[in-house]
Structures are given as C-alpha cells and as structure tokens.
Amino acid sequence: MSVAAETRMEAAMQLFDIPDGAKYLQQLGAKAATRNFVRNLINTGQVAHLRIGKKFYLTRDALDTWIQKHQRRAQ
C-alpha cells in the first residue's frame, strides 16, 4: 500500500467525539450542525458509532457516508 493511501485511510478512521463531529460538519458548511444534532444522529442509529466507556465516537468515514446518503440532487 502506498504512503498516500495509508494517509487517506488513517484520516478516514480518525475518531471524532460528539463536539468534534459537530465541528467537522460545520467546517463542511453545515452551520446548523450542533452537538445535539450529532447526538440525535447517534441515538436514532443514522450514523455508525463506537462507544468507549461513557463517550461516543464517530469516524470521518461514517459522517461522510451519512452526508452522501442524504444528499439531494438539484433538479
């Protein structure tokens, strides 16, 4: 595997806690994405997550997959 492919894979597997997940979505342009919004995505099972102790974590790949699934095409 090339170095670039390994770097992309590591970036996709980076874990975000709930506040960081909200920040990531806001950086992509979703200004209304809040901590409660991300918690709701987790609680409703819309985003794959990992629970370690009392904390919930999301991967960048899981958030990107959710975004792609919910995109609407312009008509």
Side-chain angles (χ1 to χ4, degrees):
M1 187 178 293
S2 70
V3 174
E6 287 179 17
T7 305
R8 281 192 303 267
M9 193 164 83
E10 288 173 8
M13 293 305 295
Q14 178 182 357
L15 293 177
F16 294 123
D17 60 3
I18 291 173
D20 289 338
K23 286 179 190 174
Y24 176 70
L25 292 173
Q26 289 172 356
Q27 288 173 351
L28 294 177
K31 301 299 180 197
T34 62
R35 292 177 184 180
N36 286 336
F37 176 76
V38 175
R39 281 189 194 106
N40 188 43
L41 291 177
I42 291 170
N43 290 338
T44 58
Q46 295 183 51
V47 173
H49 63 279
L50 173 69
R51 183 175 177 178
I52 301 174
K54 294 181 178 182
K55 289 209 164 215
F56 290 92
Y57 295 94
L58 309 149
T59 62
R60 177 180 292 178
D61 191 38
L63 290 171
D64 290 341
T65 301
W66 181 85
I67 290 168
Q68 288 177 353
K69 182 179 177 183
H70 289 84
Q71 280 183 334
R72 295 190 179 163
R73 296 181 186 209
Q75 295 182 15

